[in-house]
C-alpha cells in the first residue's frame, strides 16, 4: 500500500512549479558567525593548503573568494585571493582573513622540504595523471594507448603504469638527474609537441609534485607505502546557494600512516547539472541564473564523495511569505507520512509550491504511461472519470501494478 501512496502523490503533484524563492543576499556577518577551515595550517616548503571561509550554519554563505587575505611574513608563506596558502620557507607566520569588517588569524607553520614524506606513486602521482586526463579513455588510457604510450584506465594497474613511465620508451620519459628534461613534463607543459595539448603549467602544484617525484629517483609503488583510507569533502552539509554565486570545495585525504593533506588541486570534479552550477578544476563552484538541485562529484584516487546544493527560486519578500503560507496550509492537509514530509522539505528548500492535484483524466493518463507505457483507451477514460469511489486512484494503481 505504501508503494501505491508514493505513486499517487508523485503523479498528483508532478508539475511542481509556480513559485518564488527567498533572497540569499544581504547576510549580516558578525564576528562569531565566521567558520574557517582548517583552523591551523601545517605545510612543507612548496606545499599548498586551500582555506574555506564561510558563515555558520545560520547563513552558510561562502566568503572564500570575496575575503581579503594577507600573510604576516611573505618570505615564509603567501596566500592567493582564492584562499590558497603557499609555503616558501621554514618558519612560523599567520594568515589574516578579513570579511565584512571582521578579522580572523590562522596560525601557520612551514617545515623544511627535506622533512616532507617522499612522494608516492599511487597516492600522489597517479591521481595527477587522472586529473590531467592522461589515463582517460580518450587519451593514453584507451585499450590501444596513444602514440605508443599506454596507461591503465584511471590508474587501475599501478605497476604497469610505472613500467610504462619509467622503463618503456628507452627511459626517455623520466630523467631524475635533470627532471625538467623529462618527456612527461615537457609534453604536459607543451614545451614539446603533444597531441593532448598543454595539460599543466610549470607554476602548478601538479608540476611541482611530478618534478619532485622524478628528482627523488621516481620511486616505484611498494607494498609498504601508506594507503589512502578515506577522503573528506568540505562543506560536509548540503548548502542552499543563490544564483550567480560561488562555493569553494576542500578535499582532504587521510592515509593509513595517520597523515593527511589537502588534495583539492589533485582531485577531479564534475557537476551533474552544468546548467545550474559549474565547477572548475580547483573545486570552485559557480551557480548560473538557473534554479534547481545540483550534485558535485569529487574524486581523488579511487575515493569519491559528493556535495549537494539547492539553488532556490528568488522573489520579493512578500512573495516569499506567500509561498511559505501555502506550504504551511499543505502541511496541515497532508497525512504526515514520511513521503509527505520529504516532499515538504524539498519544496521548502526550493521555496516552491506544487501545482494543484491532477484531475481524473490527467491522473489516469500519467499513471498508465508510467506503469504500462500505454495511453488509456476512450472506454477506460470514461469508466474511470465516472467512477465515484473515493479510493479509485489507489484501486487503479494497484490494478495496474498487478497487471
Amino acid at each position: 500500500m505504501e508503494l501505491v501512496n508514493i505513486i499517487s502523490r508523485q503523479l498528483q503533484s508532478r508539475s511542481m512549479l509556480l513559485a518564488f524563492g527567498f533572497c540569499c543576499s544581504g547576510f549580516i556577518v558578525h564576528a562569531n558567525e565566521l567558520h574557517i577551515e582548517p583552523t591551523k595550517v601545517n605545510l612543507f616548503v612548496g606545499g599548498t593548503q586551500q582555506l574555506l571561509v564561510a558563515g555558520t550554519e545560520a547563513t552558510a554563505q561562502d566568503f572564500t573568494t570575496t575575503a581579503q587575505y594577507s600573510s604576516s611574513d611573505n618570505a615564509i608563506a603567501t596566500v592567493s585571493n582564492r584562499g590558497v596558502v603557499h609555503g616558501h620557507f621554514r618558519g612560523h607566520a599567520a594568515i589574516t582573513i578579513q570579511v565584512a569588517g571582521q578579522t580572523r588569524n590562522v596560525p601557520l607553520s612551514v617545515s623544511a622540504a627535506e622533512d616532507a614524506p617522499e612522494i608516492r606513486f599511487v597516492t600522489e602521482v597517479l591521481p595527477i595523471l587522472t586529473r590531467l586526463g592522461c589515463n582517460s579513455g580518450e587519451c593514453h588510457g584507451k585499450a590501444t594507448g596513444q602514440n605508443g604510450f599506454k596507461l591503465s584506465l584511471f590508474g587501475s594497474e599501478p605497476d604497469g603504469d610505472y613500467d610504462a613511465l619509467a622503463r618503456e620508451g628507452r627511459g626517455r620519459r623520466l630523467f631524475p638527474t635533470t627532471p625538467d628534461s623529462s618527456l612527461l613534463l615537457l609534453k604536459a607543459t607543451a614545451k614539446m609537441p603533444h597531441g593532448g595539448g598543454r595539460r599543466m603549467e610549470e607554476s602548478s602544484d601538479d608540476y611541482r609534485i611530478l618534478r619532485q617525484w622524478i628528482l627523488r629517483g621516481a620511486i616505484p609503488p611498494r607494498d609498504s607505502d601508506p594507503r589512502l583510507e578515506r577522503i573528506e569533502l568540505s562543506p560536509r552539509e548540503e548548502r542552499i546557494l543563490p544564483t550567480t554565486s560561488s562555493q569553494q570545495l576542500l578535499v582532504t585525504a587521510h592515509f593509513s600512516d595517520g597523515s593527511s593533506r589537502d588534495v583539492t588541486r589533485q582531485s577531479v570534479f564534475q557537476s551533474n547539472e552544468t546548467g545550474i552550477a559549474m565547477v572548475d578544476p580547483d573545486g570552485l563552484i559557480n551557480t548560473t541564473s538557473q534554479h534547481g538541485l545540483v550534485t558535485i562529484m569529487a574524486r581523488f584516487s579511487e575515493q569519491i564523495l559528493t556535495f549537494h546544493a539547492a539553488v532556490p527560486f528568488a522573489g520579493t519578500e512578500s512573495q516569499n511569505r506567500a509561498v511559505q503560507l501555502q506550504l504551511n496550509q499543505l502541511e496541515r492537509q497532508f497525512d504526515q507520512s514520511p513521503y509527505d514530509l520529504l516532499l515538504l522539505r524539498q519544496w521548502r528548500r526550493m521555496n516552491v509550491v506544487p501545482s494543484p492535484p491532477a484531475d481524473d483524466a490527467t491522473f489516469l493518463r500519467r499513471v498508465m504511461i508510467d506503469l504500462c507505457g500505454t495511453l488509456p483507451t476512450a472506454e477506460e477514460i470514461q469508466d474511470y472519470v465516472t467512477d465515484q469511489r473515493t479510493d479509485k486512484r489507489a484501486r487503479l494503481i494497484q490494478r495496474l501494478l498487478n497487471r
Side-chain angles (χ1 to χ4, degrees), residues 120 122-124 127 225-232 251-261 263 266-267 298-304:
R120 301 176 287 264
V122 174
T123 55
E124 275 84 5
D225 288 341
R227 302 177 310 281
L228 174 66
E229 290 193 332
R230 64 184 177 89
I231 62 173
E232 188 176 359
V251 184
T252 304
H254 298 267
F255 301 95
S256 59
D257 62 353
S259 64
S260 62
R261 63 182 175 89
V263 294
Q266 286 78 56
S267 300
R299 174 161 56 92
F300 176 76
S301 191
E302 74 278 5
Q303 299 275 346
I304 296 176

PDB file of all heavy atoms in Angstrom, residues 120 122-124 127 225-232 251-261 263 266-267 298-304:
ATOM      1  N   ARG A 120      54.742   9.458  -3.221  1.00  0.00           N
ATOM      2  CA  ARG A 120      54.430   8.066  -3.554  1.00  0.00           C
ATOM      3  C   ARG A 120      53.686   7.985  -4.887  1.00  0.00           C
ATOM      4  O   ARG A 120      52.840   8.833  -5.184  1.00  0.00           O
ATOM      5  CB  ARG A 120      53.611   7.441  -2.426  1.00  0.00           C
ATOM      6  CG  ARG A 120      54.347   7.458  -1.087  1.00  0.00           C
ATOM      7  CD  ARG A 120      53.489   6.927   0.030  1.00  0.00           C
ATOM      8  NE  ARG A 120      52.446   7.851   0.416  1.00  0.00           N
ATOM      9  CZ  ARG A 120      52.519   8.712   1.425  1.00  0.00           C
ATOM     10  NH1 ARG A 120      53.623   8.771   2.147  1.00  0.00           N
ATOM     11  NH2 ARG A 120      51.514   9.499   1.728  1.00  0.00           N
ATOM     12  N   VAL A 122      51.424   5.815  -6.099  1.00  0.00           N
ATOM     13  CA  VAL A 122      49.990   5.501  -6.129  1.00  0.00           C
ATOM     14  C   VAL A 122      49.160   6.644  -5.582  1.00  0.00           C
ATOM     15  O   VAL A 122      48.114   6.991  -6.151  1.00  0.00           O
ATOM     16  CB  VAL A 122      49.706   4.201  -5.342  1.00  0.00           C
ATOM     17  CG1 VAL A 122      48.206   3.948  -5.239  1.00  0.00           C
ATOM     18  CG2 VAL A 122      50.386   3.018  -6.036  1.00  0.00           C
ATOM     19  N   THR A 123      49.583   7.266  -4.485  1.00  0.00           N
ATOM     20  CA  THR A 123      48.745   8.263  -3.818  1.00  0.00           C
ATOM     21  C   THR A 123      49.062   9.704  -4.217  1.00  0.00           C
ATOM     22  O   THR A 123      48.302  10.605  -3.856  1.00  0.00           O
ATOM     23  CB  THR A 123      48.870   8.129  -2.287  1.00  0.00           C
ATOM     24  OG1 THR A 123      50.257   8.216  -1.921  1.00  0.00           O
ATOM     25  CG2 THR A 123      48.289   6.804  -1.828  1.00  0.00           C
ATOM     26  N   GLU A 124      50.148   9.960  -4.920  1.00  0.00           N
ATOM     27  CA  GLU A 124      50.462  11.309  -5.367  1.00  0.00           C
ATOM     28  C   GLU A 124      50.526  11.437  -6.880  1.00  0.00           C
ATOM     29  O   GLU A 124      49.931  12.347  -7.468  1.00  0.00           O
ATOM     30  CB  GLU A 124      51.796  11.792  -4.766  1.00  0.00           C
ATOM     31  CG  GLU A 124      51.694  12.387  -3.388  1.00  0.00           C
ATOM     32  CD  GLU A 124      51.714  11.355  -2.278  1.00  0.00           C
ATOM     33  OE1 GLU A 124      51.908  10.161  -2.563  1.00  0.00           O
ATOM     34  OE2 GLU A 124      51.534  11.739  -1.121  1.00  0.00           O
ATOM     35  N   PRO A 127      47.013  10.068  -9.073  1.00  0.00           N
ATOM     36  CA  PRO A 127      45.872  10.998  -9.071  1.00  0.00           C
ATOM     37  C   PRO A 127      46.075  12.216  -9.975  1.00  0.00           C
ATOM     38  O   PRO A 127      45.111  12.726 -10.554  1.00  0.00           O
ATOM     39  CB  PRO A 127      45.768  11.415  -7.598  1.00  0.00           C
ATOM     40  CG  PRO A 127      46.312  10.256  -6.847  1.00  0.00           C
ATOM     41  CD  PRO A 127      47.446   9.756  -7.694  1.00  0.00           C
ATOM     42  N   ASP A 225      54.052   1.134   1.187  1.00  0.00           N
ATOM     43  CA  ASP A 225      53.602   2.524   1.109  1.00  0.00           C
ATOM     44  C   ASP A 225      52.288   2.704   1.873  1.00  0.00           C
ATOM     45  O   ASP A 225      51.417   1.820   1.839  1.00  0.00           O
ATOM     46  CB  ASP A 225      53.382   2.939  -0.342  1.00  0.00           C
ATOM     47  CG  ASP A 225      54.683   3.115  -1.104  1.00  0.00           C
ATOM     48  OD1 ASP A 225      55.732   3.265  -0.453  1.00  0.00           O
ATOM     49  OD2 ASP A 225      54.642   3.102  -2.354  1.00  0.00           O
ATOM     50  N   PRO A 226      52.126   3.835   2.568  1.00  0.00           N
ATOM     51  CA  PRO A 226      50.831   4.114   3.199  1.00  0.00           C
ATOM     52  C   PRO A 226      49.712   4.120   2.159  1.00  0.00           C
ATOM     53  O   PRO A 226      49.915   4.533   1.014  1.00  0.00           O
ATOM     54  CB  PRO A 226      51.032   5.511   3.794  1.00  0.00           C
ATOM     55  CG  PRO A 226      52.511   5.637   3.980  1.00  0.00           C
ATOM     56  CD  PRO A 226      53.118   4.893   2.821  1.00  0.00           C
ATOM     57  N   ARG A 227      48.553   3.653   2.559  1.00  0.00           N
ATOM     58  CA  ARG A 227      47.415   3.563   1.656  1.00  0.00           C
ATOM     59  C   ARG A 227      46.429   4.698   1.940  1.00  0.00           C
ATOM     60  O   ARG A 227      46.318   5.176   3.070  1.00  0.00           O
ATOM     61  CB  ARG A 227      46.693   2.226   1.822  1.00  0.00           C
ATOM     62  CG  ARG A 227      47.566   1.014   1.585  1.00  0.00           C
ATOM     63  CD  ARG A 227      46.799  -0.272   1.845  1.00  0.00           C
ATOM     64  NE  ARG A 227      46.117  -0.265   3.142  1.00  0.00           N
ATOM     65  CZ  ARG A 227      46.726  -0.506   4.298  1.00  0.00           C
ATOM     66  NH1 ARG A 227      48.021  -0.775   4.318  1.00  0.00           N
ATOM     67  NH2 ARG A 227      46.032  -0.494   5.426  1.00  0.00           N
ATOM     68  N   LEU A 228      45.722   5.078   0.913  1.00  0.00           N
ATOM     69  CA  LEU A 228      44.647   6.046   1.087  1.00  0.00           C
ATOM     70  C   LEU A 228      43.480   5.356   1.790  1.00  0.00           C
ATOM     71  O   LEU A 228      42.934   4.379   1.278  1.00  0.00           O
ATOM     72  CB  LEU A 228      44.199   6.594  -0.271  1.00  0.00           C
ATOM     73  CG  LEU A 228      42.987   7.523  -0.257  1.00  0.00           C
ATOM     74  CD1 LEU A 228      43.312   8.819   0.481  1.00  0.00           C
ATOM     75  CD2 LEU A 228      42.520   7.824  -1.680  1.00  0.00           C
ATOM     76  N   GLU A 229      43.089   5.863   2.951  1.00  0.00           N
ATOM     77  CA  GLU A 229      41.985   5.266   3.696  1.00  0.00           C
ATOM     78  C   GLU A 229      40.652   5.928   3.396  1.00  0.00           C
ATOM     79  O   GLU A 229      39.640   5.270   3.231  1.00  0.00           O
ATOM     80  CB  GLU A 229      42.274   5.331   5.202  1.00  0.00           C
ATOM     81  CG  GLU A 229      43.394   4.393   5.636  1.00  0.00           C
ATOM     82  CD  GLU A 229      43.462   4.243   7.142  1.00  0.00           C
ATOM     83  OE1 GLU A 229      43.060   5.189   7.858  1.00  0.00           O
ATOM     84  OE2 GLU A 229      43.913   3.177   7.606  1.00  0.00           O
ATOM     85  N   ARG A 230      40.643   7.252   3.309  1.00  0.00           N
ATOM     86  CA  ARG A 230      39.395   7.963   3.038  1.00  0.00           C
ATOM     87  C   ARG A 230      39.700   9.390   2.620  1.00  0.00           C
ATOM     88  O   ARG A 230      40.830   9.872   2.822  1.00  0.00           O
ATOM     89  CB  ARG A 230      38.496   7.975   4.275  1.00  0.00           C
ATOM     90  CG  ARG A 230      39.083   8.723   5.456  1.00  0.00           C
ATOM     91  CD  ARG A 230      38.200   8.620   6.698  1.00  0.00           C
ATOM     92  NE  ARG A 230      38.813   9.283   7.844  1.00  0.00           N
ATOM     93  CZ  ARG A 230      38.645  10.565   8.160  1.00  0.00           C
ATOM     94  NH1 ARG A 230      37.864  11.329   7.388  1.00  0.00           N
ATOM     95  NH2 ARG A 230      39.221  11.099   9.213  1.00  0.00           N
ATOM     96  N   ILE A 231      38.718  10.023   2.032  1.00  0.00           N
ATOM     97  CA  ILE A 231      38.810  11.451   1.757  1.00  0.00           C
ATOM     98  C   ILE A 231      37.670  12.156   2.480  1.00  0.00           C
ATOM     99  O   ILE A 231      36.642  11.547   2.789  1.00  0.00           O
ATOM    100  CB  ILE A 231      38.784  11.771   0.251  1.00  0.00           C
ATOM    101  CG1 ILE A 231      37.468  11.318  -0.396  1.00  0.00           C
ATOM    102  CG2 ILE A 231      39.981  11.173  -0.454  1.00  0.00           C
ATOM    103  CD1 ILE A 231      37.315  11.757  -1.841  1.00  0.00           C
ATOM    104  N   GLU A 232      37.865  13.415   2.748  1.00  0.00           N
ATOM    105  CA  GLU A 232      36.863  14.230   3.418  1.00  0.00           C
ATOM    106  C   GLU A 232      36.574  15.435   2.534  1.00  0.00           C
ATOM    107  O   GLU A 232      37.500  16.090   2.045  1.00  0.00           O
ATOM    108  CB  GLU A 232      37.399  14.682   4.770  1.00  0.00           C
ATOM    109  CG  GLU A 232      36.392  15.364   5.649  1.00  0.00           C
ATOM    110  CD  GLU A 232      36.979  15.691   7.018  1.00  0.00           C
ATOM    111  OE1 GLU A 232      38.169  15.353   7.262  1.00  0.00           O
ATOM    112  OE2 GLU A 232      36.257  16.275   7.836  1.00  0.00           O
ATOM    113  N   VAL A 251      39.065  19.274  -0.407  1.00  0.00           N
ATOM    114  CA  VAL A 251      39.185  17.821  -0.323  1.00  0.00           C
ATOM    115  C   VAL A 251      40.444  17.494   0.474  1.00  0.00           C
ATOM    116  O   VAL A 251      41.541  17.941   0.122  1.00  0.00           O
ATOM    117  CB  VAL A 251      39.266  17.165  -1.712  1.00  0.00           C
ATOM    118  CG1 VAL A 251      39.283  15.635  -1.578  1.00  0.00           C
ATOM    119  CG2 VAL A 251      38.104  17.601  -2.589  1.00  0.00           C
ATOM    120  N   THR A 252      40.277  16.716   1.534  1.00  0.00           N
ATOM    121  CA  THR A 252      41.395  16.314   2.384  1.00  0.00           C
ATOM    122  C   THR A 252      41.515  14.798   2.352  1.00  0.00           C
ATOM    123  O   THR A 252      40.515  14.097   2.548  1.00  0.00           O
ATOM    124  CB  THR A 252      41.191  16.787   3.837  1.00  0.00           C
ATOM    125  OG1 THR A 252      40.993  18.209   3.842  1.00  0.00           O
ATOM    126  CG2 THR A 252      42.399  16.444   4.697  1.00  0.00           C
ATOM    127  N   ALA A 253      42.723  14.310   2.092  1.00  0.00           N
ATOM    128  CA  ALA A 253      42.964  12.861   2.045  1.00  0.00           C
ATOM    129  C   ALA A 253      43.586  12.403   3.354  1.00  0.00           C
ATOM    130  O   ALA A 253      44.469  13.069   3.910  1.00  0.00           O
ATOM    131  CB  ALA A 253      43.886  12.524   0.872  1.00  0.00           C
ATOM    132  N   HIS A 254      43.137  11.238   3.844  1.00  0.00           N
ATOM    133  CA  HIS A 254      43.658  10.649   5.080  1.00  0.00           C
ATOM    134  C   HIS A 254      44.286   9.296   4.730  1.00  0.00           C
ATOM    135  O   HIS A 254      43.667   8.470   4.050  1.00  0.00           O
ATOM    136  CB  HIS A 254      42.540  10.473   6.096  1.00  0.00           C
ATOM    137  CG  HIS A 254      41.911  11.768   6.517  1.00  0.00           C
ATOM    138  ND1 HIS A 254      42.329  12.472   7.627  1.00  0.00           N
ATOM    139  CD2 HIS A 254      40.909  12.501   5.958  1.00  0.00           C
ATOM    140  CE1 HIS A 254      41.599  13.564   7.752  1.00  0.00           C
ATOM    141  NE2 HIS A 254      40.725  13.608   6.753  1.00  0.00           N
ATOM    142  N   PHE A 255      45.499   9.070   5.246  1.00  0.00           N
ATOM    143  CA  PHE A 255      46.282   7.882   4.876  1.00  0.00           C
ATOM    144  C   PHE A 255      46.484   6.956   6.064  1.00  0.00           C
ATOM    145  O   PHE A 255      46.288   7.339   7.228  1.00  0.00           O
ATOM    146  CB  PHE A 255      47.623   8.322   4.293  1.00  0.00           C
ATOM    147  CG  PHE A 255      47.495   9.194   3.076  1.00  0.00           C
ATOM    148  CD1 PHE A 255      47.520  10.579   3.199  1.00  0.00           C
ATOM    149  CD2 PHE A 255      47.296   8.640   1.827  1.00  0.00           C
ATOM    150  CE1 PHE A 255      47.382  11.395   2.087  1.00  0.00           C
ATOM    151  CE2 PHE A 255      47.150   9.443   0.702  1.00  0.00           C
ATOM    152  CZ  PHE A 255      47.194  10.828   0.838  1.00  0.00           C
ATOM    153  N   SER A 256      46.882   5.720   5.747  1.00  0.00           N
ATOM    154  CA  SER A 256      46.988   4.674   6.762  1.00  0.00           C
ATOM    155  C   SER A 256      48.095   4.929   7.770  1.00  0.00           C
ATOM    156  O   SER A 256      48.110   4.312   8.838  1.00  0.00           O
ATOM    157  CB  SER A 256      47.209   3.312   6.085  1.00  0.00           C
ATOM    158  OG  SER A 256      48.392   3.332   5.293  1.00  0.00           O
ATOM    159  N   ASP A 257      49.050   5.825   7.484  1.00  0.00           N
ATOM    160  CA  ASP A 257      50.107   6.145   8.441  1.00  0.00           C
ATOM    161  C   ASP A 257      49.702   7.269   9.391  1.00  0.00           C
ATOM    162  O   ASP A 257      50.510   7.764  10.180  1.00  0.00           O
ATOM    163  CB  ASP A 257      51.401   6.521   7.717  1.00  0.00           C
ATOM    164  CG  ASP A 257      51.252   7.761   6.843  1.00  0.00           C
ATOM    165  OD1 ASP A 257      50.113   8.257   6.699  1.00  0.00           O
ATOM    166  OD2 ASP A 257      52.270   8.221   6.288  1.00  0.00           O
ATOM    167  N   GLY A 258      48.417   7.701   9.313  1.00  0.00           N
ATOM    168  CA  GLY A 258      47.934   8.754  10.187  1.00  0.00           C
ATOM    169  C   GLY A 258      48.082  10.154   9.632  1.00  0.00           C
ATOM    170  O   GLY A 258      47.604  11.117  10.236  1.00  0.00           O
ATOM    171  N   SER A 259      48.721  10.298   8.493  1.00  0.00           N
ATOM    172  CA  SER A 259      48.917  11.616   7.899  1.00  0.00           C
ATOM    173  C   SER A 259      47.689  12.026   7.088  1.00  0.00           C
ATOM    174  O   SER A 259      46.857  11.194   6.712  1.00  0.00           O
ATOM    175  CB  SER A 259      50.156  11.627   6.994  1.00  0.00           C
ATOM    176  OG  SER A 259      49.968  10.755   5.888  1.00  0.00           O
ATOM    177  N   SER A 260      47.582  13.315   6.835  1.00  0.00           N
ATOM    178  CA  SER A 260      46.517  13.841   5.987  1.00  0.00           C
ATOM    179  C   SER A 260      47.049  15.057   5.254  1.00  0.00           C
ATOM    180  O   SER A 260      47.991  15.707   5.720  1.00  0.00           O
ATOM    181  CB  SER A 260      45.282  14.204   6.818  1.00  0.00           C
ATOM    182  OG  SER A 260      45.602  15.220   7.762  1.00  0.00           O
ATOM    183  N   ARG A 261      46.437  15.392   4.134  1.00  0.00           N
ATOM    184  CA  ARG A 261      46.869  16.571   3.376  1.00  0.00           C
ATOM    185  C   ARG A 261      45.756  17.039   2.453  1.00  0.00           C
ATOM    186  O   ARG A 261      44.835  16.271   2.092  1.00  0.00           O
ATOM    187  CB  ARG A 261      48.141  16.299   2.574  1.00  0.00           C
ATOM    188  CG  ARG A 261      48.012  15.229   1.507  1.00  0.00           C
ATOM    189  CD  ARG A 261      49.352  15.001   0.806  1.00  0.00           C
ATOM    190  NE  ARG A 261      49.276  13.891  -0.131  1.00  0.00           N
ATOM    191  CZ  ARG A 261      48.911  14.005  -1.403  1.00  0.00           C
ATOM    192  NH1 ARG A 261      48.593  15.202  -1.879  1.00  0.00           N
ATOM    193  NH2 ARG A 261      48.866  12.950  -2.203  1.00  0.00           N
ATOM    194  N   VAL A 263      44.179  17.770  -0.894  1.00  0.00           N
ATOM    195  CA  VAL A 263      44.342  17.240  -2.250  1.00  0.00           C
ATOM    196  C   VAL A 263      43.325  17.877  -3.201  1.00  0.00           C
ATOM    197  O   VAL A 263      42.986  17.296  -4.230  1.00  0.00           O
ATOM    198  CB  VAL A 263      44.217  15.694  -2.270  1.00  0.00           C
ATOM    199  CG1 VAL A 263      45.358  15.045  -1.516  1.00  0.00           C
ATOM    200  CG2 VAL A 263      42.865  15.248  -1.701  1.00  0.00           C
ATOM    201  N   GLN A 266      44.471  18.159  -6.658  1.00  0.00           N
ATOM    202  CA  GLN A 266      44.793  16.890  -7.322  1.00  0.00           C
ATOM    203  C   GLN A 266      43.535  16.043  -7.510  1.00  0.00           C
ATOM    204  O   GLN A 266      43.621  14.878  -7.912  1.00  0.00           O
ATOM    205  CB  GLN A 266      45.820  16.096  -6.502  1.00  0.00           C
ATOM    206  CG  GLN A 266      47.233  16.640  -6.559  1.00  0.00           C
ATOM    207  CD  GLN A 266      47.404  17.858  -5.661  1.00  0.00           C
ATOM    208  OE1 GLN A 266      47.140  17.789  -4.470  1.00  0.00           O
ATOM    209  NE2 GLN A 266      47.850  18.960  -6.232  1.00  0.00           N
ATOM    210  N   SER A 267      42.376  16.623  -7.235  1.00  0.00           N
ATOM    211  CA  SER A 267      41.108  15.892  -7.355  1.00  0.00           C
ATOM    212  C   SER A 267      40.409  16.220  -8.671  1.00  0.00           C
ATOM    213  O   SER A 267      40.727  17.215  -9.326  1.00  0.00           O
ATOM    214  CB  SER A 267      40.182  16.236  -6.179  1.00  0.00           C
ATOM    215  OG  SER A 267      40.774  15.886  -4.945  1.00  0.00           O
ATOM    216  N   ALA A 298      33.365  14.755  -6.309  1.00  0.00           N
ATOM    217  CA  ALA A 298      34.788  14.969  -6.079  1.00  0.00           C
ATOM    218  C   ALA A 298      35.460  13.606  -6.002  1.00  0.00           C
ATOM    219  O   ALA A 298      35.054  12.766  -5.192  1.00  0.00           O
ATOM    220  CB  ALA A 298      35.025  15.756  -4.801  1.00  0.00           C
ATOM    221  N   ARG A 299      36.473  13.396  -6.840  1.00  0.00           N
ATOM    222  CA  ARG A 299      37.149  12.088  -6.857  1.00  0.00           C
ATOM    223  C   ARG A 299      38.645  12.283  -6.693  1.00  0.00           C
ATOM    224  O   ARG A 299      39.270  13.082  -7.388  1.00  0.00           O
ATOM    225  CB  ARG A 299      36.862  11.361  -8.175  1.00  0.00           C
ATOM    226  CG  ARG A 299      37.645  10.058  -8.341  1.00  0.00           C
ATOM    227  CD  ARG A 299      37.024   9.166  -9.385  1.00  0.00           C
ATOM    228  NE  ARG A 299      36.891   9.807 -10.672  1.00  0.00           N
ATOM    229  CZ  ARG A 299      37.802   9.745 -11.643  1.00  0.00           C
ATOM    230  NH1 ARG A 299      38.917   9.077 -11.463  1.00  0.00           N
ATOM    231  NH2 ARG A 299      37.595  10.340 -12.799  1.00  0.00           N
ATOM    232  N   PHE A 300      39.225  11.565  -5.750  1.00  0.00           N
ATOM    233  CA  PHE A 300      40.672  11.507  -5.578  1.00  0.00           C
ATOM    234  C   PHE A 300      41.064  10.050  -5.489  1.00  0.00           C
ATOM    235  O   PHE A 300      40.568   9.319  -4.635  1.00  0.00           O
ATOM    236  CB  PHE A 300      41.131  12.258  -4.329  1.00  0.00           C
ATOM    237  CG  PHE A 300      42.608  12.133  -4.076  1.00  0.00           C
ATOM    238  CD1 PHE A 300      43.514  12.860  -4.830  1.00  0.00           C
ATOM    239  CD2 PHE A 300      43.088  11.277  -3.099  1.00  0.00           C
ATOM    240  CE1 PHE A 300      44.880  12.735  -4.610  1.00  0.00           C
ATOM    241  CE2 PHE A 300      44.454  11.143  -2.871  1.00  0.00           C
ATOM    242  CZ  PHE A 300      45.353  11.883  -3.629  1.00  0.00           C
ATOM    243  N   SER A 301      41.948   9.628  -6.388  1.00  0.00           N
ATOM    244  CA  SER A 301      42.307   8.219  -6.490  1.00  0.00           C
ATOM    245  C   SER A 301      41.029   7.410  -6.678  1.00  0.00           C
ATOM    246  O   SER A 301      40.211   7.736  -7.517  1.00  0.00           O
ATOM    247  CB  SER A 301      43.109   7.781  -5.262  1.00  0.00           C
ATOM    248  OG  SER A 301      43.670   6.503  -5.445  1.00  0.00           O
ATOM    249  N   GLU A 302      40.807   6.362  -5.878  1.00  0.00           N
ATOM    250  CA  GLU A 302      39.602   5.552  -6.058  1.00  0.00           C
ATOM    251  C   GLU A 302      38.447   6.012  -5.171  1.00  0.00           C
ATOM    252  O   GLU A 302      37.374   5.406  -5.195  1.00  0.00           O
ATOM    253  CB  GLU A 302      39.911   4.075  -5.765  1.00  0.00           C
ATOM    254  CG  GLU A 302      40.087   3.720  -4.302  1.00  0.00           C
ATOM    255  CD  GLU A 302      41.466   4.030  -3.748  1.00  0.00           C
ATOM    256  OE1 GLU A 302      42.281   4.628  -4.488  1.00  0.00           O
ATOM    257  OE2 GLU A 302      41.738   3.665  -2.578  1.00  0.00           O
ATOM    258  N   GLN A 303      38.650   7.073  -4.399  1.00  0.00           N
ATOM    259  CA  GLN A 303      37.635   7.535  -3.466  1.00  0.00           C
ATOM    260  C   GLN A 303      36.764   8.633  -4.102  1.00  0.00           C
ATOM    261  O   GLN A 303      37.277   9.525  -4.778  1.00  0.00           O
ATOM    262  CB  GLN A 303      38.295   8.100  -2.206  1.00  0.00           C
ATOM    263  CG  GLN A 303      39.139   7.091  -1.442  1.00  0.00           C
ATOM    264  CD  GLN A 303      38.319   6.262  -0.496  1.00  0.00           C
ATOM    265  OE1 GLN A 303      37.171   6.591  -0.203  1.00  0.00           O
ATOM    266  NE2 GLN A 303      38.889   5.179   0.008  1.00  0.00           N
ATOM    267  N   ILE A 304      35.458   8.561  -3.855  1.00  0.00           N
ATOM    268  CA  ILE A 304      34.500   9.528  -4.424  1.00  0.00           C
ATOM    269  C   ILE A 304      33.552  10.007  -3.329  1.00  0.00           C
ATOM    270  O   ILE A 304      33.041   9.203  -2.548  1.00  0.00           O
ATOM    271  CB  ILE A 304      33.687   8.911  -5.580  1.00  0.00           C
ATOM    272  CG1 ILE A 304      34.593   8.550  -6.759  1.00  0.00           C
ATOM    273  CG2 ILE A 304      32.585   9.856  -6.044  1.00  0.00           C
ATOM    274  CD1 ILE A 304      33.882   7.845  -7.891  1.00  0.00           C
TER     275      ILE A 304
END
